[in-house]
Amino acid sequence: MKKNIYIFNDGQIRRKDNTVYFETEEGKKFLPIEDINDIFVFGELELNKRFLELASQKEITIHFLFYLMKLLLPRQNLQIKHKWMLII
């Protein structure tokens, strides 16, 4: 069963080859990309394009939660031609 990931700390999510990790000042935490359904982000987060491509392939939805709630969905969820859509 896939699980949700909640990120409260500021940091970076990076993909190197087929490994995904969340990096903060304190160190790296590896994320099991095959077991993730949604990622909920409450802090400041940097993402690279390679991670977004993998998240799209694995149909992972990324939620950015703050004053104005924003949602980044893979195109398969919306059945549109664009790779990602930002909903405000």
Side-chain angles (χ1 to χ4, degrees):
M1 181 175 186
K2 291 189 174 189
K3 59 184 176 182
N4 297 328
I5 301 291
Y6 297 88
I7 299 176
F8 293 96
N9 298 337
D10 296 344
Q12 304 172 348
I13 291 185
R14 298 283 186 238
R15 173 187 175 190
K16 187 170 184 180
D17 301 321
N18 284 327
T19 302
V20 175
Y21 59 91
F22 176 63
E23 184 173 16
T24 65
E25 295 174 355
E26 299 165 2
K28 293 181 183 179
K29 177 170 176 63
F30 292 92
L31 303 174
I33 197 72
E34 298 291 332
D35 297 333
I36 298 174
N37 189 45
D38 292 287
I39 298 175
F40 294 88
V41 180
F42 294 90
E44 290 191 30
L45 183 67
E46 291 183 30
L47 306 167
N48 66 10
K49 180 180 173 261
R50 291 183 291 167
F51 167 73
L52 290 174
E53 288 172 345
L54 183 61
S56 178
Q57 289 172 6
K58 302 295 182 183
E59 299 182 9
I60 296 171
T61 302
I62 304 169
H63 306 265
F64 295 94
L65 303 163
F66 48 93
Y67 182 72
L68 294 174
M69 188 170 139
K70 297 184 180 183
L71 178 63
L72 190 60
L73 294 172
R75 67 180 164 149
Q76 294 87 351
N77 291 3
L78 297 175
Q79 298 194 5
I80 58 174
K81 293 182 182 181
H82 304 294
K83 189 158 187 121
W84 287 90
M85 174 174 260
L86 180 63
I87 299 173
I88 300 175

